[in-house]
Amino acid sequence: APGGPYFARAVLESRWRSRLLLRHVLGLSREELKRFIDRRALFEGAVFAAPMLDGSRPVIVAAPHFGAAPVGYVAAVSRVGARRPINLFYDSAHAAPRINHLFERAGVDANTLLGGFTGVVAAMRALERKEWLVMMPDAFDDMAHTLAVPFFGRMLRAAAGTAFFALRTEAWVVPVFSAPMARLGVRVTLGRPIDSRRYYASKRRGASARMRA
């Protein structure tokens, strides 16, 4: 990350704006929240969502847990127009009440699946029914259950659950990132969906080549 006081100041300002944004949105009614998303949410990359809307495969929406992420989740799901049930998967119950409240206010029927064996089984069954799963790969309780991945020139710990679910169920993985805006709004960036079939097929080809050798 860049050094100097400017970067530190920007991080502190973003955290402050995110807390203010979340506090404001949690106090809105359903109609007010809808107007907020229509007027105060700026979307980038929404065109990438087209391949995952036909309902032929499950979808995993993955985003960081910090900052404006809860508001971004609700805005993204509302904007994309998910036609399948939404399932919220958490390793712990810490953030669940706030996000559940936001989805309820947005008129989105969402199920909460906490971590552990029961939650994993429920998540697998939901994906097998071609439903949507909302996950936060950077939130974990036990570092032993994580992988080190390259991130902006350094190694970062991330939970492997998102990759596991995607490879087992051939789900689309849609990266979502939310950032607070200067005038009490949120910028939601939808990344290009990651096709788990592509990586699964590559893995199988590699295994076959090793067997032939």
Side-chain angles (χ1 to χ4, degrees):
Y6 298 106
F7 179 75
R9 187 180 305 148
V11 171
L12 181 61
E13 182 178 337
S14 178
R15 291 173 63 90
W16 178 80
R17 290 188 187 280
S18 295
R19 290 177 65 90
L20 183 64
L21 174 67
L22 183 58
R23 180 183 299 180
H24 173 74
V25 172
L26 284 172
L28 299 179
S29 65
R30 178 172 296 187
E31 293 75 17
E32 291 170 337
L33 180 56
K34 184 178 184 301
R35 287 197 298 270
F36 176 87
I37 294 175
D38 291 339
R39 300 174 182 177
R40 295 288 185 175
L42 175 63
F43 294 89
E44 298 177 350
V47 67
F48 294 145
M52 63 187 185
L53 294 180
D54 60 3
S56 62
R57 293 168 61 182
V59 174
I60 299 175
V61 180
H65 77 284
F66 58 84
V71 182
Y73 271 138
V74 175
V77 171
S78 300
R79 176 61 180 267
V80 170
R83 300 178 179 87
R84 296 279 177 169
I86 306 295
N87 301 273
L88 311 177
F89 186 88
Y90 305 103
D91 284 336
S92 68
H94 176 68
R98 290 184 304 178
I99 301 183
N100 288 344
H101 181 73
L102 281 177
F103 271 90
E104 181 182 347
R105 285 293 176 90
V108 178
D109 187 15
N111 302 315
T112 300
L113 310 177
L114 294 181
F117 180 77
T118 303
V120 170
V121 171
M124 288 292 295
R125 289 176 176 172
L127 292 172
E128 289 171 355
R129 295 192 296 266
K130 297 181 174 58
E131 298 179 0
W132 285 42
L133 189 66
V134 174
M135 299 191 68
M136 295 177 285
D138 66 329
F140 52 85
D141 292 328
D142 189 350
M143 189 173 293
H145 299 160
T146 65
L147 298 174
V149 297
F151 183 78
F152 286 95
R154 59 178 178 168
M155 303 305 290
L156 179 73
R157 287 285 178 176
T162 304
F164 169 79
F165 286 136
L167 291 173
R168 290 293 297 269
T169 62
E170 298 187 344
W172 290 102
V173 179
V174 183
V176 177
F177 182 76
S178 306
M181 297 173 62
R183 295 184 178 274
L184 200 62
V186 61
R187 177 181 287 103
V188 184
T189 302
L190 281 75
R192 189 180 299 276
I194 301 170
D195 189 353
S196 60
R197 286 179 177 174
R198 173 186 174 189
Y199 294 92
Y200 184 73
S202 175
K203 182 179 178 181
R204 293 189 62 181
R205 286 195 300 269
S208 299
R210 289 193 296 272
M211 290 177 65
R212 288 195 299 270

